[in-house]
Amino acid sequence: MTSLTLSHFLFTSAVLFVIGVIGFVTRRNMIVMFLCTELMFQGAAIAMIAFSRFHGDLSGQVFVIFILTIAAAEAALALALVVLLFRRRETLSAEAWSELGEP
Amino acid sequence: MAPNVLYTSCVLGAIGIYLLLRPGPRALKPVGVLLGLGALGWVFKASAEALTGDGNGPTFFFYVFSGIAIAAAVRMITHHRPVYAALYFVMVVISSAALFLLLEAEFLAFALVIVYAGAILITYLFVLMLAQQAPEPGNEDAQPDYDVLPREPAAAATVGFIMLALLSDTVFMGAPEIQPGTVPVTATPENIEQVGVALIADFPVSLELAGVILLMAMYGAVVLARRQIELSEASR
């Protein structure tokens, strides 16, 4: 095995991000869709830490702290909205609200 | 690394994920698993041949942890029960915390486990408990339709892997001589102290704004929860 380079970590982060995108587009359960956005956050966080290590600059790690903050705030508000939507229609399916889009 | 290796393994990975996602006969799921693992292993092996270096860093642990992270992520998006999806996401979080440890970011590895796995995912699991549909009396093990049937898995897998091919194209073929920079780790303070100093010294405004964002999120959650109580009282 050779040494680790930056590219290894960036590839892992790209794969996690793309799997999050596929899951977000595919699943219809609203809570699982938000879990897939959290997976996209994980991919971005790995990329930031990898670049921070690569450049020797700690700004990437500091920014991942802010990513955690934003993810927590977004999860709280998104789950509050999902609970309210569930109580309206008694279903977690995103397609119950599909008439909100364009006809 | 030859571009054919990357693109062919992206195509194989797309077929593998499509076979895992689609709601069909279960006999093809192991084929999907093998295709996905084979594509991933092929890319890593080809990258090992193309990128050479001076041998710093424990590479075996990287392959193990990123393999666990990717496998848990795929299982998360394909599992038909949302509670299992949340638990597989905990596995993704723990293995990406291990990747952070490989990158010498110890404070963030622990912060990730504490905040993500300890707070955010517990919130998700509570909401999953609250938002359960009551099972039908005759058929208690059946999952609701929106959990079992994915929405256009073929298009999603295709578009996703085109995106992955473009992203990893620049990663692997743009700069094959990239090496991780050498940070002197002997004479410097610990990681948590460095991160704290960098946070306060370089990003004070962002720190204040993060506090404001959390405050707004708390207000929003209280307002959203409160409106529900008023509705149920008004209906009596």
Side-chain angles (χ1 to χ4, degrees):
Chain A
M1 299 254 180
T2 75
S3 74
L4 280 183
T5 65
L6 177 65
S7 309
H8 287 85
F9 286 100
L10 290 184
F11 182 71
T12 302
S13 116
V15 170
L16 279 178
F17 183 83
V18 164
I19 291 177
V21 168
I22 293 177
F24 184 77
V25 166
T26 300
R27 297 294 297 258
R28 296 191 279 170
N29 189 335
M30 279 192 277
I31 296 181
V32 177
M33 284 166 71
F34 280 111
L35 270 179
C36 294
T37 69
E38 304 287 337
L39 188 56
M40 292 194 251
F41 277 127
Q42 285 295 306
I46 291 179
M48 283 195 198
I49 302 274
F51 273 119
S52 159
R53 171 74 174 86
F54 173 65
H55 289 293
D57 189 4
L58 281 174
S59 305
Q61 299 189 14
V62 170
F63 205 76
V64 171
I65 295 180
F66 294 130
I67 288 183
L68 291 185
T69 307
I70 302 290
E74 179 229 357
L77 286 176
L79 289 176
L81 284 173
V82 165
V83 166
L84 285 182
L85 291 175
F86 174 74
R87 287 186 182 162
R88 284 280 188 166
R89 295 285 172 94
E90 293 297 324
T91 177
L92 277 175
S93 169
E95 300 196 339
W97 300 93
S98 62
E99 71 266 11
L100 283 175
E102 297 179 359
Chain B
M1 182 168 62
N4 300 330
V5 171
L6 188 60
Y7 297 146
T8 316
S9 61
C10 281
V11 169
L12 285 180
I15 297 174
I17 289 229
Y18 169 69
L19 285 177
L20 284 170
L21 270 175
R22 67 170 196 159
R26 297 182 59 86
L28 284 177
K29 306 240 180 205
V31 176
V33 172
L34 284 175
L35 275 178
L37 286 177
L40 197 60
W42 195 12
V43 168
F44 277 140
K45 182 176 177 307
S47 75
E49 288 164 2
L51 304 166
T52 57
D54 54 356
N56 58 334
T59 65
F60 167 70
F61 287 113
F62 166 77
Y63 289 117
V64 166
F65 286 126
S66 64
I68 293 176
I70 293 171
V74 170
R75 196 68 189 109
M76 177 191 130
I77 68 171
T78 59
H79 209 290
H80 56 95
R81 298 179 73 115
V83 178
Y84 279 77
L87 292 175
Y88 276 112
F89 186 61
V90 173
M91 191 186 286
V92 171
V93 165
I94 292 179
S95 37
S96 76
L99 285 176
F100 286 5
L101 279 177
L102 280 177
L103 287 166
E104 300 178 9
E106 299 99 9
F107 168 66
L108 276 158
F110 293 117
L112 199 76
V113 171
I114 292 172
V115 172
Y116 246 103
I120 296 180
L121 285 175
I122 299 295
T123 308
Y124 269 100
L125 286 171
F126 268 107
V127 172
L128 275 171
M129 270 196 313
L130 291 173
Q132 293 270 3
Q133 276 182 287
E136 296 150 18
N139 198 4
E140 294 199 345
D141 276 341
Q143 292 292 309
D145 206 21
Y146 51 81
D147 273 336
V148 173
L149 297 177
R151 185 172 52 181
E152 298 183 13
T158 310
V159 169
F161 276 86
I162 289 175
M163 196 189 300
L164 181 63
L166 289 173
L167 275 175
S168 45
D169 205 357
T170 58
V171 164
F172 274 117
M173 296 179 347
E177 299 91 17
I178 292 179
Q179 299 292 330
T182 55
V183 175
V185 294
T186 52
T188 54
E190 295 182 4
N191 177 258
I192 178 169
E193 186 174 337
Q194 285 178 316
V195 169
V197 169
L199 183 63
I200 305 284
D202 294 334
F203 299 97
V205 177
S206 308
L207 191 59
E208 304 296 329
L209 283 177
V212 171
I213 286 176
L214 284 173
L215 185 65
M216 290 299 117
M218 202 163 61
Y219 277 162
V222 167
V223 164
L224 285 173
R226 202 182 135 77
R227 201 189 305 156
Q228 177 62 30
I229 294 177
E230 286 176 6
L231 272 178
S232 65
E233 283 179 355
S235 63
R236 280 190 213 143

